[in-house]
Amino acid sequence: MRRLGTGIGWRPEIADAVERMPGIDWVEAVAENLCPGHLPDSLLRLRERGVTVIPHGVSLGLGDAERPDAGRLAALAERAEALGSPLVTEHIAFVRAGGPLTASPRLEAGHLLPVPRTRDALDVLCENVRIAQEALPVPLAVENIAALIAWPGEEMTEGQFLYELADRTGVRLLIDVANLHTNHVNRGEDPAKALAELPLEAIAYVHVAGGFERDGVWHDSHAHPVPRPVLDILTDLASRVSPPGVLLERDENFPEPAELERELGTIRAAVEAGEREGAPARASSATGEEHASTPGTGVGTRTATGIGPRTMTRTATATATGIGTRTASGDGCAPPISEPGPAALDEATRQRLGLAQAALLSALVAGTPVPEGFDRVRLGVQARALAAKRADVVAKVAPELPLILGSGYRNAFIAYAQSHPMHGGYRQDALDFAEQTLLGGRLTEGRARRELRRWWLDRSGPAPRPKSRLGRAGRVGRTLIRR
């Protein structure tokens, strides 16, 4: 895997500071925030200096029950080519549910939600990853996510789930050590056990980020300094394998550039401490492998501290190395035997997963009953977190709304979000919120109502000629707002 070095998440708010920071080898930019034909000047200057830029997707939904959208894949591919990136990254998460597969309304989560660690979900995820790999011009790496909730009836640990995913598809892994810490606090999962079960040779790079704890729940905010427990997990990982790259994520509440530089220095020190700690074990392991290598191609065997050797299957080896055949015996002299392709996924498997995801997402964003087996209290925390995330993102894509509504914006939006699921992305969400605020009588006549009405009318577009009762209802709504 290509060595990346030390990087930081590129955000417009800190673009100038990132350009001036010493020791930045690469940056990562949110793919959905980039327009290939109009890349930010800051990113172009970084590219000219030889700084690697990697697009990081957040909306593909590889863990969705439905297949990845061809348009979203094409957009991700276009950004990778525009940036000359060596790879692209996404998340092991579902972000939408419903639709024709489940004969139910399509719902958007507006954030990353965990995939159940079951055989059904793994089968769907593997096929979705293969579809993405075929559509992308560069290798794909996928990231483990932070979770507030746990699915009932899970069949694998996180490490086992990731190992099988990499084993079956050859996909690279983006390991977020902050998310391992989050899942330790919120779900009682042992980060060391997860690291011990991972296919370390599949790691593309590592994320590091901060968060905060409230009422026994860890929130992966990306808005706070990196805490010591996260750095300790990073050191543990670096003691097992030298990570090709490590990146600091910060999405808001940006400190002074000097503070970010100090955090990057602390991250480098944590990696170096782990590499020193693991050096003797890696040297011993390498010596042992030279004297007792596994017969065959020699590809796919690893030794991780404390767990002994593990061999990835032929499918992952072929995918990761470009080798599509294997020998029938271990001596490498027998005629090659073609690798069988993956079996076609039963559509019923997607439907089962789709029904489960739709029931969960509906409970979170539409107030329907909590599915059996879930922790009701924790689902309430997740629902409030999703609403707050929506409020924050809408405030960024439509910054006029907080200005118009003032201190009442956030509470008003969260109240709206509890009964109005997101259907068409954040910009449409902003328009829907403004419309419901105007129609719901939450604003009395005055400056705020006049400005909000003008804002909505300027952006909602001309009303088409109604052809149905639904269209007439929409025209009535626009008429009421105009008054």
Side-chain angles (χ1 to χ4, degrees):
M1 179 64 203
R2 174 175 174 173
R3 306 297 299 183
L4 294 169
T6 303
I8 190 168
W10 183 92
R11 303 293 183 265
E13 297 90 337
I14 56 172
D16 292 342
V18 168
E19 285 191 67
R20 294 192 297 268
M21 281 182 189
I24 295 297
D25 303 307
W26 63 291
V27 299
E28 180 190 77
V30 177
E32 288 79 357
N33 294 344
L34 301 177
C35 178
H38 301 84
L39 292 173
D41 290 341
S42 172
L43 282 182
L44 293 176
R45 287 191 293 269
L46 288 170
R47 287 286 300 121
E48 289 170 359
R49 282 166 39 190
V51 175
T52 299
V53 182
I54 294 178
H56 185 53
V58 297
S59 65
L60 188 56
L62 289 171
D64 292 355
E66 292 190 342
R67 291 170 177 81
D69 178 74
R72 293 180 188 275
L73 281 171
L76 191 56
E78 188 179 10
R79 283 149 180 79
E81 291 178 329
L83 293 166
S85 306
L87 77 161
V88 298
T89 57
E90 248 290 350
H91 296 83
I92 302 170
F94 85 96
V95 298
R96 59 188 66 86
L101 184 65
T102 58
S104 60
R106 184 175 294 280
L107 299 172
E108 294 272 350
H111 198 44
L112 306 167
L113 292 175
V115 173
R117 297 171 195 157
T118 61
R119 291 291 166 188
D120 275 359
L122 181 61
D123 289 345
V124 170
L125 178 62
C126 285
E127 186 169 89
N128 287 351
V129 164
R130 292 188 193 101
I131 291 170
Q133 287 171 320
E134 291 175 1
L136 294 170
V138 293
L140 170 68
V142 291
E143 178 182 357
N144 59 303
I145 72 163
L148 289 171
I149 58 176
W151 285 81
E154 291 192 315
E155 300 164 352
M156 287 169 272
T157 65
E158 180 161 42
Q160 292 167 343
F161 193 82
L162 294 175
Y163 191 95
E164 287 218 27
L165 173 64
D167 191 20
R168 290 168 56 175
T169 66
V171 73
R172 295 290 181 177
L173 298 178
L174 192 180
I175 297 301
D176 191 315
V177 292
N179 291 346
L180 292 178
H181 173 66
T182 301
N183 294 345
H184 169 63
V185 177
N186 295 345
R187 299 173 50 153
E189 298 175 353
D190 183 1
K193 184 173 187 292
L195 291 176
E197 293 174 337
L198 287 178
L200 300 176
E201 71 278 14
I203 293 178
Y205 61 89
V206 177
H207 270 176
V208 184
F212 67 94
E213 187 172 353
R214 178 186 295 155
D215 299 328
V217 176
W218 186 266
H219 297 268
D220 182 43
S221 67
H222 293 191
H224 296 79
V226 179
R228 174 48 55 184
V230 172
L231 293 170
D232 290 343
I233 299 171
L234 176 62
T235 296
D236 187 4
L237 184 149
S239 74
R240 300 166 186 268
V241 65
S242 180
V246 181
L247 180 130
L248 171 63
E249 287 189 294
R250 191 71 176 247
D251 292 338
E252 53 189 327
N253 191 26
F254 297 101
E256 291 298 318
E259 178 59 30
L260 288 175
E261 290 176 24
R262 280 193 291 272
E263 277 209 281
L264 287 166
T266 304
I267 289 168
R268 290 188 187 97
V271 172
E272 291 167 1
E275 290 176 338
R276 286 195 302 271
E277 179 184 327
R282 282 197 293 271
S284 175
S285 173
T287 302
E289 287 174 1
E290 288 177 5
H291 292 289
S293 59
T294 301
T297 63
V299 180
T301 302
R302 71 176 174 94
T303 301
T305 305
I307 62 170
R310 260 177 107 168
T311 303
M312 296 183 71
T313 66
R314 293 176 279 111
T315 302
T317 300
T319 307
T321 64
I323 300 170
T325 60
R326 68 177 178 90
T327 58
S329 63
D331 59 10
C333 300
I337 298 175
S338 297
E339 279 290 343
L345 182 64
D346 182 1
E347 201 65 19
T349 303
R350 287 189 178 273
Q351 189 173 50
R352 285 194 300 271
L353 179 63
L355 289 169
Q357 290 180 340
L360 173 60
L361 187 52
S362 182
L364 289 171
V365 303
T368 56
V370 174
E372 185 177 355
F374 282 95
D375 184 322
R376 293 174 180 272
V377 174
R378 192 54 65 86
L379 246 65
V381 174
Q382 178 72 84
R384 291 190 293 275
L386 288 177
K389 178 72 173 179
R390 282 174 64 185
D392 291 342
V393 178
V394 165
K396 289 182 177 180
V397 301
E400 302 86 356
L401 294 180
L403 293 176
I404 292 170
L405 299 177
S407 60
Y409 161 76
R410 188 174 179 82
N411 288 338
F413 188 94
I414 290 175
Y416 152 82
Q418 289 174 348
S419 56
H420 294 86
M422 184 167 67
H423 295 285
Y426 284 111
R427 287 180 174 79
Q428 185 60 49
D429 207 21
L431 288 169
D432 292 345
F433 164 65
E435 181 179 10
Q436 289 300 318
T437 300
L438 292 166
L439 290 175
R442 297 186 180 93
L443 284 179
T444 57
E445 284 299 333
R447 181 192 60 80
R449 182 176 177 84
R450 289 193 300 273
E451 290 186 5
L452 185 62
R453 182 168 55 218
R454 186 181 305 114
W455 181 90
W456 184 86
L457 289 171
D458 286 345
R459 290 160 177 79
S460 59
R465 185 177 183 85
K467 297 182 180 180
S468 65
R469 286 188 297 173
L470 181 62
R472 288 196 294 273
R475 186 173 66 172
V476 170
R478 289 182 59 84
T479 303
L480 289 172
I481 292 174
R482 287 179 184 277
R483 291 177 180 170

